[in-house]
Every structure is written in C-alpha cells, then in structure tokens.
Amino acid sequence: DDLGVGRGLEQRALASGDAIVDLSHRAVLSLTGPDRLTWLDSISSQALKGLRPGESSETLILDPNGRVEHVLRLIDDGVTLWVL
C-alpha cells in the first residue's frame, strides 16, 4: 500500500541523513554522579557498569513479574548519563 511505501522512503531518508524527526515530545533525563551506571544497572535489565563514554545502550525497566514497564535509550559522556 501507499503508506508502507511512504514509510520506506522516510526511513531511507532518515538513515542517509537527509531528513529529521521532531522528538521534542519525548523526555530526556540526565543522571550524574560516580554511581549513575551502577545504580541504573541494579534496577534495569542491561549490564551498564561497563558502558564507556560515547557508547550507547538500551535497557528495560521491568515490573516484579518481568513485564516491560519502560524502554530506555542511554548514552554516557563520562560525566552524565543521558536517558531518552
């Protein structure tokens, strides 16, 4: 259908750097302090203690039954962990 074709074109434009997406409606959190990675590591599904500056990762926050409550995208700059 036309919608699927349009999405494919949009995805290719984004991947090639020829388009942008307004994500200003999404929250951005910053976590600082020497224990920022170990703290988030202790409450999330991903091992984050070894995340190096400039590396990105994704992690899940689960409920007590193991169901996904939140999906977090992360990048650490060596001082601040940016959570999207």
Side-chain angles (χ1 to χ4, degrees), residues 13-25:
L14 287 168
S16 68
D18 294 329
I20 60 171
V21 175
D22 179 8
L23 298 177
S24 62
H25 63 285

Side-chain angles (χ1 to χ4, degrees), residues 51-73:
L51 192 65
R52 290 187 230 131
E55 287 184 335
S56 64
S57 187
E58 190 172 272
T59 192
L60 305 174
I61 304 297
L62 307 174
D63 72 9
N65 296 311
R67 293 186 183 101
V68 176
E69 288 191 341
H70 303 283
V71 177
L72 306 177
R73 288 168 179 82

Side-chain angles (χ1 to χ4, degrees), residues 9-46:
L9 294 173
E10 290 171 355
Q11 289 173 348
R12 285 192 289 280
L14 287 168
S16 68
D18 294 329
I20 60 171
V21 175
D22 179 8
L23 298 177
S24 62
H25 63 285
R26 293 192 178 178
V28 177
L29 304 173
S30 61
L31 302 175
T32 59
D35 61 344
R36 68 192 178 280
L37 293 174
T38 54
W39 173 76
L40 191 56
D41 182 276
S42 72
I43 65 166
S44 70
S45 66
Q46 182 76 335

